[in-house]
Every structure is written in C-alpha cells, then in structure tokens.
Amino acid sequence: MKAIVVMDEAAGTAGMVLAERPRPEAAGNDVLVEVHASGFTPGELTWPSTWTDRLGRDRTPSIPGHELAGVVSALGYGTRGLSVGQRVFGLTDWTRDGTLAEYAAVEARNLAPLPGDVDFTVGASLPISGLTAWQGLFEHGDVQAGQSVLVHGAAGAVGSMVTQLAREAGAYVIGTGRAADRRTALDFGAREFVDLENDTLEDAGAVDLVFDVIGGDIGNRSAGLVRAGGTLVTIAGPPGARPDDGRAIDFVVEADRVQLKEIVQRVRDGRLRTVIGTVATLDDAVAAFNPTERAKGKTIVRVRP
Ligand SMILES: NC(=O)c1ccc[n+]([C@@H]2O[C@H](COP(=O)([O-])OP(=O)(O)OC[C@H]3O[C@@H](n4cnc5c(N)ncnc54)[C@H](OP(=O)(O)O)[C@@H]3O)[C@@H](O)[C@H]2O)c1
C-alpha cells in the first residue's frame, strides 16, 4: 500500500516520504480500516511515540497521522462492536503505525461509527481536536456554566473546538491568537479577543480556566491569570509555571467512542464546526504538510477520492 513514512525526528515534516509499505494485518480486537481521509497534528513528530513502541524499541520507518475516517475492511480475532463495510472515524494508537496510508489497523474500541451524512474529510478532522477540547474542558478542566475561560489559539484546530464547546456549556470565552485571527475567534463564539502580537495578555484579567495550546512564555504567564480555585489546562507539554492557588493539568488526548459520538452529533446539528484548510491527496501530502505560506485550518489528506 502507499503510505507516508518518517525515519528521522530531526527532519520534522520535511523528512516525510511517500513510500510502499506492507498492508497491516488486523490483530486481536483490531479492525483494518480502508482509509478515506486522514488528519495529522503538527506536534506528533516530536513525541517519542512516533519513533518507538510502548517498550521504547525503535519502530521506524513510522507512518504518522493518527486520526482517520474510512470503512472497515476486515476484523481481527475477537473484535466486537463494528462490522465489515461500516463507516468509522477515530483516533488511533500513538505508538502504532498511523493513518497517512491506504490502510490502518486500529483497535475497534478507538473508533466510532461515522454517520452517513458526515463526509469523510470532516470525519477525519474531528478526532484529535474534538477529543482534546472535550477532555480538556469537561474531564480535566471541569468547566461550569457561568465560568470564564481563556482559550489560547482560539482560531486553531483545538482552540476553535474549545471555544465552541465552552460557549455551548455556558462559559464566557476570551479567545487569544494572532492579530489576523480576531474575526475567526469571535465567529467561533469568543466574546473577547486578546491579540497576542499587540495586546497585553494580563489585561484579560482573572479567569476560572485557561486552556493553553501554545506553551512557552505565554503558557507561563497564563498561570498568573487563573483565579483562586481555578485551573490551567495545557496540551503543550508540562507547564513551566503553576497557578498560586489552583490546579495545573497537562494531558495527552485519548481515544473515546462515547465522546466521538457526542462530537459528531454536534457537527450534524450545526453546533460545532471544524476548520479544514488544505485538502490534499496522498501523493501531494508531503507538500501539503510543508507549506511555503502560512496554512489556515487543518490539512486533511483525502486518501481515496
Ligand atoms: N497534548 C495533546 O493531547 C495534544 C492534542 C492536540 C494537539 N496538541 C498540540 O497542541 C498544539 C496546537 O494544536 P492545533 O492542532 O490546535 O494547532 P493549530 O491549528 O496550529 O492551532 C494553534 C493556534 O495557535 C496560534 N499560535 C501559536 N503560537 C502562537 C503565538 N505565539 N502567538 C499567537 N498565536 C499563536 C496558531 O497561529 P499560527 O498558525 O499563526 O501559528 C494557531 O492559530 C500543537 O502543538 C499540537 O501538537 C496536543
């Protein structure tokens, strides 16, 4: 089968190559998915799970990309809950070969049915950003109606989901990002916007929850914005600073079928929109992941037309 592979962490996305790889087998409790569309999150090439298996053994050349939408084409021994021919979408195991390929073997429990009225391209754009937003807000951040939530990168893939879900949950959302992202963040439901290039972050005032997707200096300064009893949730690695009187949580997104169903239902009834940018073929994927100009929205690889 055709797949994108990576061999060298230092090369980043520039090291991606289109190659021939053996079609994977469905192991116990797996399904083999005929991939129709695949997503990729920018940070994953820096994560150890891209380069080694669970025991730390080198697993290169690795196939990156860990979200997919497609059709089940075979079942492994003991697999329950999904059937051959079923449309599915979901987040795959970070320590196994991924979804930038014509086929991917995935544990069935990582996937949810993809309703017939949701396009594969949309389905592939949802798992990482949707689940990350859901888990950060509701499981780790315990957001409540009436609370204030500062969402960094509110026009980005994760941040736009956080903004919409927090707003739906009844929170007052302050989005942040680059100057050019103000309109997009407000359109997603932010009530205010902090332009990180020209405004002073601290002017946002104290909030109940900060959802940080940027880290570094912005993450560190955000700890000081969390009011007593509040929470800093970050997905950009361990926080360098913690709130004086609050919680700091960093986490890595996990697969969850029930949450995927909640997310896709919101897409169907118009409560949730994804930001899809470039849609490329597998043949054009390497170029799409190495854009020469700033790419807006999530890049999706449409593996089958
Ligand atoms: N821990 C986890 O489970 C998990 C899950 C998903 C994603 N992540 C990580 O979270 C990060 C965000 O992912 P994403 O898919 O949402 O990326 P994304 O779509 O690129 O969104 C990030 C947003 O933040 C903006 N931004 C970044 N740095 C900024 C700065 N210094 N000032 C102002 N705006 C800035 C970006 O603008 P520009 O595009 O202009 O830079 C973009 O709008 C990535 O590092 C990803 O690897 C972690």
Side-chain angles (χ1 to χ4, degrees):
M1 67 170 186
K2 282 200 287 191
I4 302 297
V5 298
V6 287
M7 291 288 295
D8 173 15
E9 180 172 352
T13 51
M16 289 175 156
V17 176
L18 181 66
E20 268 305 313
R21 297 291 297 153
R23 184 186 296 191
E25 300 283 332
N29 301 322
D30 275 353
V31 291
L32 183 66
V33 180
E34 185 184 81
V35 180
H36 282 245
S38 169
F40 167 80
T41 195
E44 70 180 69
L45 297 186
T46 66
W47 301 346
S49 51
T50 297
W51 310 100
T52 63
D53 66 14
R54 286 182 189 281
L55 294 174
R57 295 173 301 207
D58 180 19
R59 66 178 191 85
T60 55
S62 322
I63 301 174
H66 289 278
E67 51 192 348
L68 61 70
V71 174
V72 174
S73 66
L75 305 180
Y77 179 76
T79 300
R80 297 168 44 170
L82 296 175
S83 51
V84 171
Q86 190 167 4
R87 300 172 97 244
V88 290
F89 76 120
L91 172 65
T92 71
D93 188 336
W94 298 109
T95 58
R96 294 176 73 180
D97 271 344
T99 61
L100 288 171
E102 291 179 303
Y103 291 88
V106 189
E107 278 189 90
R109 64 180 176 173
N110 291 356
L111 303 177
L114 182 69
D117 57 357
V118 180
D119 185 76
F120 288 120
T121 304
V122 173
S125 75
L126 297 173
I128 293 179
S129 50
L131 290 171
T132 304
W134 189 282
Q135 291 164 18
L137 276 177
F138 302 125
E139 292 189 339
H140 303 295
D142 192 25
V143 71
Q144 304 292 326
Q147 289 188 330
S148 50
V149 180
L150 183 107
V151 183
H152 284 310
V158 177
S160 61
M161 289 282 183
V162 177
T163 300
Q164 295 172 88
L165 290 172
R167 177 77 186 261
E168 185 197 337
Y172 183 91
V173 179
I174 304 167
T176 84
R178 300 192 194 277
D181 290 331
R182 177 185 298 275
R183 187 69 262 155
T184 309
L186 297 175
D187 283 347
F188 278 119
R191 302 290 183 95
E192 297 174 35
F193 183 78
V194 179
D195 164 0
L196 293 174
E197 294 172 321
N198 299 296
D199 301 338
T200 303
L201 174 61
E202 286 70 16
D203 288 347
V207 294
D208 297 298
L209 176 64
V210 174
F211 198 122
D212 180 27
V213 309
I214 298 175
D217 177 56
I218 288 170
N220 293 345
R221 286 163 58 200
S222 298
L225 298 177
V226 175
R227 68 166 56 108
T231 308
L232 169 66
V233 171
T234 178
I235 59 166
R242 312 178 77 83
D244 286 339
D245 183 11
R247 299 182 303 150
I249 295 169
D250 71 295
F251 75 100
V252 175
V253 60
E254 294 177 355
D256 190 298
R257 180 180 290 171
V258 172
Q259 292 172 4
L260 285 172
K261 287 181 176 174
E262 292 278 357
I263 290 161
V264 80
Q265 185 52 41
R266 281 167 172 72
V267 171
R268 294 176 82 196
D269 63 28
R271 280 179 286 167
L272 206 51
R273 282 183 291 131
T274 63
V275 226
I276 296 171
T278 306
V279 179
T281 63
L282 201 50
D283 289 341
D284 297 333
V286 174
F289 289 126
N290 290 279
T292 48
E293 289 173 12
R294 184 189 178 209
K296 295 284 279 180
K298 202 167 166 69
T299 298
I300 297 295
V301 174
R302 189 69 199 214
V303 178
R304 288 176 169 79

